[in-house]
Amino acid sequence: MYIKNSWYVAADADELGRSLLGRWICDEPVVLFRKEDGTAVILEDRCPHRKFALSKGELVGDEIQCGYHGMRFDGAGTCTFVPAQDNIPPRLKARAYPVEERHGWVWIWMGDPAQADAELIPDYHWNTAEGWAPVKGYLNFSADYKLLVDNLLDLTHETYVHQRTIGNHAVAHTPMETRAEGDTVYVDRVMKDCAPPPLFKKARGFTTNIDRWQHIWFKPPANIWIDAGGVPTGDNDRTNALNWMVLNSITPERAGSCHYFWGVSRCFSQDDAEIGELIRNQIIATFEEDRDIIETQQRYIETDPNDKPLLAANCDAGNVHARRIIDRLIAAEAAA
Amino acid sequence: MYIKNSWYVAADADELGRSLLGRWICDEPVVLFRKEDGTAVILEDRCPHRKFALSKGELVGDEIQCGYHGMRFDGAGTCTFVPAQDNIPPRLKARAYPVEERHGWVWIWMGDPAQADAELIPDYHWNTAEGWAPVKGYLNFSADYKLLVDNLLDLTHETYVHQRTIGNHAVAHTPMETRAEGDTVYVDRVMKDCAPPPLFKKARGFTTNIDRWQHIWFKPPANIWIDAGGVPTGDNDRTNALNWMVLNSITPERAGSCHYFWGVSRCFSQDDAEIGELIRNQIIATFEEDRDIIETQQRYIETDPNDKPLLAANCDAGNVHARRIIDRLIAAEAAA
Amino acid sequence: MYIKNSWYVAADADELGRSLLGRWICDEPVVLFRKEDGTAVILEDRCPHRKFALSKGELVGDEIQCGYHGMRFDGAGTCTFVPAQDNIPPRLKARAYPVEERHGWVWIWMGDPAQADAELIPDYHWNTAEGWAPVKGYLNFSADYKLLVDNLLDLTHETYVHQRTIGNHAVAHTPMETRAEGDTVYVDRVMKDCAPPPLFKKARGFTTNIDRWQHIWFKPPANIWIDAGGVPTGDNDRTNALNWMVLNSITPERAGSCHYFWGVSRCFSQDDAEIGELIRNQIIATFEEDRDIIETQQRYIETDPNDKPLLAANCDAGNVHARRIIDRLIAAEAAA
């Protein structure tokens, strides 16, 4: 059960071109490509004829030609050609998904197309905005997307999991402030006069303690923004800060797996390519540490013979809000 | 659910000898061997004692000695020896399957032995007949056998999948004529004055267009004959033709997998070993292209959350007949 | 369904130390370690907070610190630390299992802790006793533990499976005497004046026939002792004997897999390290032969569409007793 009436990131804009990309989203196989004019198209990946993967066919102009029997489908999923017959049965139609390209990502709407309002696309403008220098990436995790939501809403684990990059003692030992407003969850943690974590020192050259902050917000199904940074203790000049937006959008793939689209966009040393590479490499290493945790957690949850619920400590206050919102929206869709 | 009262190919005659061959057929594990006089034997592969694989034992004369506890079973499945006891419990009996060797293949009857009439074995005499030069082979496909039946009854796909060997433009673009008579389905396609496909040119040296034909017939569970060939356009002299019988018998292995026994027997250049090797290699390459298609199709069918039926276009008329026959025979056996 | 109110070997004593060992026992994941004073501890391996594997955390003194959020649990499973909060919710408790270390093995009690009487630990004193020279080992089999019980209670298979090490003709061809007394099963086989098997010759230098014996007893869930040996035919002087105790304790891991803890303790050539290595290597080779048999048997049992029961010959008399005892104890626990 997923939230269907919602935008999900289907691909990074750079992944899409004039070849066919197959991907599973919310248990549905889809095929993605760009038309000759660059417009993104997403169709159901099962050929409506005999269910072969359209993504294994080829592009002929703006149409997909199925690799098995040569039937062709345009960007709206309409069949335009059936070999050796003139009439085209109307039921030979591939589902076409609403698609929008924004903030460097290609978005898909999995539910009722009539409700696919582009204004509902979450605001990730930092991926492409003036004055911000982004690094972006994609990872596939063998874990339920909600475990990754938990991970990003409760950064307590940085102290234990990420001590080589972004973890310091202060994160785990400083309480958070959490609140929900409508479908948005806010989690804030301010850590005064603490030791800078290793990546902060490498990326910004801190030699003293810092005042560190993490301002997080969540919107369903699985969008998490983290305004994270630090300045030398007591320094009020933000031009001396390390400050980046950690941009996370998670898309369910199949039961027990998810797509993780991430970006880290900084507002310092924007033109320093070495700093960009440093951040990219260290963030990937950091997320691979999360993968090890979360994929293990997935297996241990799946195999629990008692299916006991996850317990919540204070640090889970944000997670609890987020899961309630997700559950409520799924229930509302089921009821509708 | 499989048709049980039917002959299936269990092995190529060349596979069988004085060692034990284990194989799954219609979800049942069987063990095959030849007796000292060359007669083929097929027994249930689960030892009736503790279910160990008899195929992991050894032949002692014409008996299998189980590799675990040394019990012996003759070609009728009768236990002839139990260690350290004189009386042999009658229930210690391995099921013996009716078996016939014909047309270069070893046939097994999966249903009621009383109905195992050798006259019901499908006629594949081209595998061994005078005046015909066969190449034969065996492939294992991770797909339901009916997907391979579909593939062989509708050759439209040759144009899209096999353009490197036997596909030309004409196949997909020429309508077929289809009819069912009793349990036999006939599919015919005649393509006048078309470009010869690559393998036809290599094997027969065509330099002009050809008149091409495909005459197909199907008998359940999964036997398909294809009389395929071509002559230079307008040439009525069959001695100038490329003409071969594509002989296909498919045996279900387990849910979602099958054994594919195939032969291509030609009535031209019968003594030309190079031509034989060319055909063998190109046909195997062709069937490997089918494997890629069909195994993908299998996965996409298995994972369809809506379990929508496959749709039929005109080109599926033969498939539709064949599946109706299969379904009818399975239903009849279930009712009996 | 397993017998729960029983001691199982969880680990060899040598496996445990100051690092965390994760293992599955009777479908439950557990984590094992030694406290600073050497005492063995076994906790549930699922963190009660978010179900991450405690075995992927680290030891801090005598406590496990979870590798995800840093929560700590002492040897009783009590949570002693939650980051950034003072109160510790009482439900944040990891299950602690009764544990005892005896006879070179670490034992776990899977059922009601109130019934965990150390006096019930099976007597494997030969692993550590004066006058006996042990070799020990651990294997993991992808098969139900009862198949290994069958294997050890009916040594008929030695003749067919282990002819390279401990099998000779006499084993299979000599009837056994079997009886059950309460929950103990006894199986005895005495083979007069038989050819010594290869390992007996290598380990003891026999040049003549031997009088060979196998005295086996079983206690549930899966403990099997084998007093095995031989002397030159007619020789009544046990100081000329090859004699060892084959000590076997099998612990279910998950459905279809088990832990096999074994020892072979001899009362001859106790100080001869070369003999010890010979026995270790040959016994491991022997048990790997059993693995091949039993894992195949497991697959053939799992896939039997008819789920026919295993049949029993005379040689299975001990197995039949043992399985009845196991079934009775499981039923009694289910009823209680």
Side-chain angles (χ1 to χ4, degrees), chain A residues 24 29 44-46 48-53 55-56 65 67-71 81-85 91-92 254, chain B residues 150-151 154 157 160-161 172-175 292-293 296-297 300-301 303-305 307-308 310-314 316:
Chain A
W24 288 73
E44 178 183 4
D45 195 25
R46 279 193 193 88
H49 175 223
R50 309 299 282 182
K51 302 197 186 183
F52 184 63
S55 56
K56 292 197 132 196
Q65 177 176 286
Y68 197 175
H69 300 99
M71 296 184 188
F81 174 76
V82 178
Q85 73 187 71
R91 60 187 178 166
L92 272 181
R254 306 183 64 171
Chain B
D150 290 347
N151 177 278
D154 172 18
H157 71 278
Y160 303 99
V161 180
H173 295 82
T174 307
D292 185 43
I293 296 281
T296 298
Q297 197 188 5
Y300 272 60
I301 289 171
T303 55
D304 186 353
D307 199 22
K308 286 183 292 196
L310 302 180
L311 293 190
N314 291 358
D316 297 293

Side-chain angles (χ1 to χ4, degrees), chain C residues 126-127 129-135 203-204 228 241-247 263-280:
Chain C
W126 298 269
N127 264 336
E130 284 282 309
W132 292 83
V135 295
R204 207 63 176 106
L242 176 148
N243 188 199
W244 56 43
M245 291 292 300
V246 185
L247 305 161
V264 173
S265 200
R266 70 191 183 276
C267 58
F268 66 94
S269 308
Q270 291 93 329
D271 300 323
D272 187 332
E274 268 184 50
I275 290 286
E277 275 315 286
L278 171 73
I279 293 171
R280 179 192 308 279

Side-chain angles (χ1 to χ4, degrees), chain B residues 24 29 44-46 48-53 55-56 65 67-71 81-85 91-92 254, chain C residues 150-151 154 157 160-161 172-175 292-293 296-297 300-301 303-305 307-308 310-314 316:
Chain B
W24 288 73
E44 176 184 4
D45 195 23
R46 280 193 192 89
H49 175 223
R50 308 300 280 183
K51 301 197 186 182
F52 184 63
S55 57
K56 291 197 132 194
Q65 176 176 287
Y68 196 176
H69 300 99
M71 296 183 187
F81 175 75
V82 178
Q85 73 188 71
R91 61 186 177 165
L92 271 180
R254 306 182 66 171
Chain C
D150 288 349
N151 177 279
D154 172 18
H157 71 277
Y160 302 99
V161 181
H173 296 80
T174 307
D292 185 43
I293 296 281
T296 297
Q297 196 188 5
Y300 273 60
I301 289 171
T303 55
D304 187 353
D307 200 23
K308 286 182 293 194
L310 302 180
L311 292 190
N314 291 358
D316 297 292

Side-chain angles (χ1 to χ4, degrees), chain C residues 123-319:
Chain C
D123 177 10
Y124 283 100
H125 74 272
W126 298 269
N127 264 336
T128 53
E130 284 282 309
W132 292 83
V135 295
K136 282 196 306 180
Y138 164 74
L139 294 165
N140 187 284
F141 277 21
S142 293
D144 187 90
Y145 71 101
K146 292 187 291 294
L147 296 182
L148 190 45
V149 171
D150 288 349
N151 177 279
L152 291 162
L153 279 175
D154 172 18
L155 299 179
T156 299
H157 71 277
E158 289 186 354
T159 302
Y160 302 99
V161 181
H162 305 312
Q163 59 267 59
R164 281 176 291 274
T165 54
I166 57 174
N168 64 358
H169 182 268
V171 179
H173 296 80
T174 307
M176 296 172 276
E177 297 201 349
T178 308
R179 70 186 196 283
E181 293 180 7
D183 287 350
T184 305
V185 178
Y186 298 90
V187 175
D188 299 287
R189 176 142 42 189
V190 175
M191 299 146 276
K192 293 289 184 190
D193 194 26
C194 62
L199 177 56
F200 279 41
K201 286 199 276 192
K202 285 181 194 158
R204 207 63 176 106
F206 293 128
T207 56
T208 64
N209 271 3
I210 61 170
D211 292 333
R212 185 177 184 185
W213 70 87
Q214 295 167 333
H215 300 296
I216 311 175
W217 61 103
F218 159 90
K219 289 177 185 291
N223 299 288
I224 300 105
W225 295 255
I226 306 175
D227 169 3
V231 286
T233 300
D235 187 338
N236 288 319
D237 183 356
R238 279 290 179 107
T239 62
N240 294 326
L242 176 148
N243 188 199
W244 56 43
M245 291 292 300
V246 185
L247 305 161
N248 312 276
S249 196
I250 310 156
T251 302
E253 183 187 40
R254 306 183 64 172
S257 67
C258 63
H259 307 287
Y260 180 17
F261 297 95
W262 62 267
V264 173
S265 200
R266 70 191 183 276
C267 58
F268 66 94
S269 308
Q270 291 93 329
D271 300 323
D272 187 332
E274 268 184 50
I275 290 286
E277 275 315 286
L278 171 73
I279 293 171
R280 179 192 308 279
N281 294 334
Q282 298 260 308
I283 290 297
I284 289 172
T286 299
F287 291 165
E288 289 294 341
E289 289 171 336
D290 286 318
R291 174 208 295 285
D292 185 43
I293 296 281
I294 288 171
E295 295 187 347
T296 297
Q297 196 188 5
Q298 173 73 24
R299 285 199 310 276
Y300 273 60
I301 289 171
E302 282 175 355
T303 55
D304 187 353
N306 305 309
D307 200 23
K308 286 182 293 194
L310 302 180
L311 292 190
N314 291 358
C315 57
D316 297 292
N319 304 339

